[in-house]
Each structure stands twice: as C-alpha cells, then as structure tokens.
Amino acid sequence: MTEHGLTVARRVPDVRQRRLASDTAFWGFIFADMTVFALFFIAYLWQFGSNRSEFRADAAHLVIWLGLTNALILLTSSYLVVRAVQKHRAGTDARMLIGWALALAAAFALVKSGEYAIEISAGHTLKSSTFFMYYFVLTGLHLMHVLIGSTLLLTWWRGERSGRPVSFRFAESAAGYWHMVDLLWILIFSFVYIGSHA
C-alpha cells in the first residue's frame, strides 16, 4: 500500500510538469503574437508622430461607430467564452454559449467586410497613404486572428455536440486566444480609430 502510494506520488509531479510545459508553450505563442502586433503599434505611433496632420485627415474617413460596434461585439463574445469555460469546468453543456460567441465572430467579420467596402469604394486602399496602409494591415491581420480563433471555438463546439468534449486545457487555450483577439481589437480601435484624431 505504501509502495503504491509512493508510486502515485512520484507520478503526480510528472503530469503537472507536462501540463506546465504545454501551458508555457501556449502562453509563449500568445506572447510572440502580441509582440508582433506591439511592433506594428510602435511603428504606427512613430509614423503618426511624424505625419500627424496627414493621419488626422485620413482617419476622419473612418466610420468610428462601426469600429465601436465591433468592439462591443468582441467584448460580449469574450464574456460568453468566459461563461463557457465555467460550464466546461463544471462538466455541463456549453454549446449555446460557444454558439453565440461564434455568431458574434461572424457578425464581427460581416461588419468589418462592410467597413472595407465603404473605404475601398471611397478610394481608400492599401496604397492610398501611410495611414491606410497601417489600417488595412492591422485590421487585416486582426481579421485573420478572428478566423483562427473562430476555428478553435468551432472545434470546441463540435466536441460538445458530439458528446466527446475537448480537454479543459484546449478549452482554456481557445478562450485565452479569443481574449487576445478581443484585446487586440480594443488596442486597434484606441490607436487607429480614436487616437489618430488626437
């Protein structure tokens, strides 16, 4: 009995060590991703400081309420994902919450596509100016992250539907990635939509 107890005690640290390594790898990826965006933000702010009047003039063409709408959409979806993680931890069905988060992700992409259509029809493209180059690059990269995050949420939702739920580690990682997507949009909205008028 004692020998068996010691065997179990020796195994527990190994499991924790593997989980810690996995979590470290995930958060390392999140940190690297955020670092790339941070470099873009620094470059944007540097250019803004050098061409303030040009950036203000170009930023005036953005439809701020669309950017705000998308910020509210992502904040709401993040709340739903938090609730879904709580349900997953409790062993209850989180499909409805994940489904609504996915619907909001689709709404975000729809609003963003409409905003792109407005800007392009007004003659604003990637090559129009320095401001619009940053606008399309930053929001385009972010939209790509929304699609990746949506794929993670969809995988989670399918697991719930099939009766073979994903591991808590996967649910937690998908949620962490989605919160990063939300945070990045808040920063883009703050710098590009609002800060460019300063």
Side-chain angles (χ1 to χ4, degrees), residues 15-96:
V15 173
R16 288 179 180 170
Q17 188 173 5
R18 285 197 299 273
R19 172 162 183 171
L20 180 61
S22 174
D23 292 346
T24 301
F26 170 73
W27 289 112
F29 168 75
I30 292 290
F31 178 76
D33 215 6
M34 295 281 286
T35 300
V36 171
F37 271 92
L39 293 174
F40 272 111
F41 289 138
I42 291 169
Y44 176 85
L45 292 173
W46 180 271
Q47 290 290 332
F48 173 67
S50 304
N51 307 282
R52 192 169 293 233
S53 58
E54 176 191 332
F55 272 51
R56 282 177 179 168
D58 286 336
H61 295 286
L62 295 182
V63 185
I64 292 183
W65 69 267
L66 288 177
L68 177 60
T69 298
N70 266 344
L72 295 174
I73 285 173
L74 285 185
L75 284 170
T76 304
S77 70
S78 274
Y79 170 74
L80 294 172
V81 168
V82 167
R83 297 287 295 122
V85 169
Q86 291 172 343
K87 279 189 168 288
H88 190 80
R89 184 184 291 121
T92 55
D93 191 358
R95 274 182 300 174
M96 183 180 294

Side-chain angles (χ1 to χ4, degrees), residues 100-114:
W100 278 112
L102 282 166
L104 289 173
F108 177 94
L110 187 63
V111 172
K112 193 76 225 137
S113 297

Side-chain angles (χ1 to χ4, degrees), residues 137-152:
V137 169
L138 284 170
T139 58
L141 278 174
H142 180 267
L143 186 57
M144 182 184 71
H145 282 69
V146 170
L147 295 177
I148 295 171
S150 297
T151 301
L152 294 174

